[in-house]
Amino acid sequence: PQGEEWRTSVLLQLLRTPSNCEKAAKLPEVMAFVQRPGMKMKADTIFPLRAYLMSGETPDLLRLCSRLIAKTVPEAFSDPPDKKAPRDTPSLQAKHDIRAAWTSMLLTVTYAALRSWPGAFDMPALTTVVVASGCALLAEGALEVLWLGQELMIESEWYYEERSKMLLASFIMSSVNAIAWAAAFQYYAMVPFFASRFVKDDFLDVYRSYAP
């Protein structure tokens, strides 16, 4: 079901350009598509959270598509499009991000639990696993925040203004990464972090953006 929401989101982004709205108003297939009532469907799985995060709903997106076309070509509709329909689930981007964070948490907790388990089934062993998993999650979260901050820095305009600024910022980032990664190895967070970045994230297409 999320594929249908993804397709409608792509159309919505295309219609943010007025020239595309003019072309869409002349295509009967597009006009029929945006005037559909839409669908709301959860993924077919026994896991409630996965069904929620993989769900798809399009009524609000279709209403937005119609309003964008009507804004550019008012005569395209005999009746004005309805206002934005309420959603039962977060936006496609939010569900995408939540799923990425959730899968990283599962990976981190699983790895930390396996590495820290002392081999016994008693309260001290459970406490050891819980503490190790909590520390691993905190370390993983810190690494994610650090990674995101560095991405924002590299994408900023001032980073490329002068070579000296770029070299200084790169040196600082490299130093911080060395310290943070060395500390993360002590809390069973480095392996899950690398696995998320180089295996899981590519498999789940984490870096896809649905925002305008």
Side-chain angles (χ1 to χ4, degrees):
Q2 202 165 81
E4 185 69 15
E5 185 174 357
W6 176 82
R7 183 172 69 153
T8 309
S9 297
V10 173
L11 176 62
L12 175 62
Q13 303 310 325
L14 291 173
L15 292 176
R16 294 187 184 277
T17 303
S19 60
N20 288 336
C21 291
E22 296 175 358
K23 295 178 181 178
K26 300 176 182 179
L27 297 174
E29 299 86 352
V30 177
M31 296 302 296
F33 180 78
V34 299
Q35 295 183 72
R36 292 166 56 186
M39 51 79 72
K40 294 184 179 182
M41 185 183 300
K42 291 186 177 182
D44 185 14
T45 174
I46 62 174
F47 302 104
L49 182 59
R50 177 179 172 81
Y52 180 78
L53 296 179
M54 296 298 293
S55 64
E57 58 176 299
T58 59
D60 65 314
L61 300 176
L62 292 172
R63 301 292 80 77
L64 287 173
C65 289
S66 300
R67 292 170 63 186
L68 287 174
I69 295 176
K71 182 178 179 180
T72 305
V73 189
E75 63 275 11
F77 297 91
S78 56
D79 298 321
D82 297 333
K83 295 183 178 180
K84 182 178 179 180
R87 290 184 64 95
D88 295 336
T89 60
S91 66
L92 183 60
Q93 183 67 56
K95 289 187 290 188
H96 189 71
D97 294 339
I98 294 172
R99 186 186 178 212
W102 172 248
T103 52
S104 293
M105 290 173 60
L106 289 178
L107 183 62
T108 302
V109 169
T110 301
Y111 180 80
L114 291 175
R115 287 295 308 272
S116 62
W117 181 50
F121 294 95
D122 51 19
M123 187 55 64
L126 177 61
T127 302
T128 300
V129 170
V130 170
V131 172
S133 299
C135 292
L137 284 175
L138 290 176
E140 174 77 12
L143 291 176
E144 291 289 347
V145 171
L146 182 61
W147 183 284
L148 178 60
Q150 292 177 359
E151 281 187 335
L152 295 175
M153 180 182 297
I154 294 173
E155 293 172 357
S156 62
E157 294 183 1
W158 71 266
Y159 184 78
Y160 299 95
E161 288 179 351
E162 298 180 10
R163 184 182 180 187
S164 58
K165 292 182 179 180
M166 180 186 294
L167 292 176
L168 178 60
S170 298
F171 173 76
I172 294 175
M173 287 189 291
S174 299
S175 302
V176 172
N177 283 337
I179 297 173
W181 291 2
F185 271 110
Q186 302 179 18
Y187 298 104
Y188 307 116
M190 204 65 240
V191 172
F193 178 75
F194 278 143
S196 295
R197 287 298 174 182
F198 299 113
V199 180
K200 187 269 295 182
D201 287 2
D202 290 339
F203 181 74
L204 297 182
D205 205 10
V206 167
Y207 297 106
R208 183 185 293 257
S209 176
Y210 303 95

